[in-house]
Amino acid sequence: MSVDPKNQAAEEDLRLPFDDEAGHGTGKRDLAGLLIAVALFALALVIINDASGYPIRRSYAKFGPEIVPYLIASGICVMAVITAIMAWRGAFEARDPLNIGALSWLVGGIVIEIFMLYGGTGFIAGSAVLFAFAARAFGQATLALNLAIGAVLSTLLYLLFRYGLGLSLPAGPVERAIDLLLR
Amino acid sequence: MDTFILLFEGLATATQPSNLMFALLGVMLGTAVGVMPGIGPALTVALLLPVSLSFGATGSMIMFAGIYYGGMYGGAISSILLNTPGETASIMTALEGNRMAKRGKGGKALGAAAFGSFFGGMFATLGLAVVAPFMVMVALSFGTAEYFALMVLSFMTVSAAFGGSMSRGLTALFIGLTIGIVGTDKLTGQVRLAFGIPEMSDNISIAIVAVGLFAIGETMYLASQYVNHKEKAQAVSGSVWLNWGDFKRCMRPYIRGTGLGFLFGPLPTGGAEIPTFLSYTTEKRLATGEARREFDEGLGAIEGVAGPEAANNASAAGTLIPLLTLGLPTSATAAMMLAGFQQYGLQPGPLLFTNNADLVWGLVASLFIANLMLVVLNVPFIGIWVKLLTIPRPWLYAGILCFATLGIVGAQGSPFALILLLGFGLIGFVMRRFGYPLAPALVGAILGPLAEEQLRRGLMINQGDWMFLIESRIALAIYAIALLSVFGPRLWALLRKANRKASAAA
């Protein structure tokens, strides 16, 4: 969400955000863009397949719960065609190189947290691991320090939300110990 | 002067200790996130949606509005000291503000921004209190056709105005609409797009969609770029208090900025971007004498900070007019607030003013209080907020991620909710990477089901005849506005380009 003001600062050329559409395309055929178009088509098919299975009802409306899904599916089809044309013509802007490593740390952190939360290790441990992984994704490589800060933060969050707001969070050994201490 | 009586009663609601606390919490959070680059008020409200369920409707709405206003104040700080606007509303502030900071006048720029935000916020909130009851009177005569037209207007403009590309905006909108139909159909009980998963046959919680797209998706996007997160913040130099000479220079920009912000805020053109842009260009064009020299030589003119900062706060107040009176969100943060209302089973619109008058007027009154709190927080205590800029980015984003999952775990408490959250995060990431705006997806998911209800109710009343949609004159006028607000700016840009070419040829 942070926007680089330098692009906007070029004196003569202050543009409204929507002045031109896809004006800085690469001009090269964009495989990833075509993939988006295919995904959109697939989504439309899924919606149509789902909507065609609804039982037919007779009502004053003449249209049942299937009408809006059909409308949305046709809209998505139109957008898929436009996306395909855009990708074919290279109308998507050039993208920065993708930092796959960082992305894997992040997604991995969330997946591990899900397993930990519902595997019985409790909120604090799971959240601390997520914190460490996420910080690693952003280039902070000292794992022990990350884990320590994550643990402190998660404990504070647990205390605040468990006791301050009464939210129920998955409990493990650490949480049960805290609950015993505070009771 | 019914309004002022109601406002006075609202003041009684707003000054209850618990509500004062929520307002203070909101403005502090809002300023904090406004200061930190990369997270804006929309994301913050999204993060707080799931946990706010225990705050009560009035309390959480007061807090959300405080975050919205606070974000506008705080955004100025990172713009001026770091040249990295915390959110789009502060882009224009960075232009002159950062130049001032580099010349050792950062304090003055921050002062001009804070007082400008106060001025814009106060007068536009007053405008909101005066205009809203009239809007309610108009809106009370609306039927299904008019409401459907209003939602189409919202869909069109939100897709056209956010981000750069209309087709990508519309694609995002349709993705949102698809999310909106998942679950049990309200009118017939038909389960749609649930694929036999019990959690999906209840509708997908908007909190999961919002947190996934905005918080998880945005963090993934930031992590996926090889960016060196080490910018250097300018120190606050000089006093933040303005002297009489500065005030004289700021007064007119304040007034013009407030006018522009209040005018454009309620229009479905995407919040504060356009009014701040117009305010900046106006001040630049009108500058004379000392200001002219500062603009031209890139020294940083105080007018260029004062105008846009008044405009973005005024537009925040203006945005609340269509949100509260019609239930139409015109900015991403407003869409989040709409989701907040819906969590409590409240539907913003004319009926909200009659059924929940104490909530509405308590909220409006609390906006005045929030503004007072903010000017105190942002002028004498500015140093505290500047410290926030020194939090290392890895820990900042890691903390956001922990908080995001905490909210969903606490409110939903199922592994499936978290898997869904990760899924929306990945969708949000792909959208961001390919330049798709996120706001239309959110507005589609929130307003889609309401639009469907209006459409199908209308079809039922009119026995399946679609013509009812275009038989109402008001509805037709709204469609005309939708077309104009989508194609008008494009035409204007074309005309300007043609003009420039003509003058270049001459």
Side-chain angles (χ1 to χ4, degrees), chain A residues 138-158:
Chain A
F138 281 96
Q140 178 65 257
T142 43
L143 194 68
L145 182 64
N146 286 344
L147 269 175
I149 295 180
V152 171
L153 179 84
S154 306
T155 312
L156 287 178
L157 285 176
Y158 179 78

Side-chain angles (χ1 to χ4, degrees), chain B residues 320-399:
Chain B
L320 293 177
I321 296 177
L323 177 68
L324 293 175
T325 59
L326 301 170
L328 287 186
T330 58
S331 75
T333 314
M336 298 289 183
M337 289 180 68
L338 181 59
F341 274 111
Q342 288 180 338
Q343 272 194 352
Y344 287 98
L346 298 169
Q347 184 52 49
L351 291 179
L352 190 72
F353 278 75
T354 45
N355 297 346
N356 299 78
D358 50 336
L359 190 162
V360 173
W361 292 103
L363 177 63
V364 174
S366 82
L367 293 174
F368 289 105
I369 296 172
N371 249 314
L372 273 174
M373 289 173 169
L374 277 165
V375 81
V376 173
L377 285 175
N378 277 274
V379 179
F381 296 109
I382 185 91
I384 300 171
W385 304 111
V386 175
K387 290 241 159 53
L388 284 176
L389 291 175
T390 57
I391 297 179
R393 297 292 171 83
W395 292 335
L396 176 65
Y397 295 127

Side-chain angles (χ1 to χ4, degrees), chain A residues 1 11 50 54 65 96 99, chain B residues 192-193 218 224 284 433:
Chain A
M1 234 165 280
E11 283 302 324
D50 189 74
Y54 304 156
D96 296 331
N99 190 341
Chain B
R192 297 185 294 192
L193 287 176
E218 182 73 22
S224 77
K284 194 170 179 185
R433 182 157 172 80

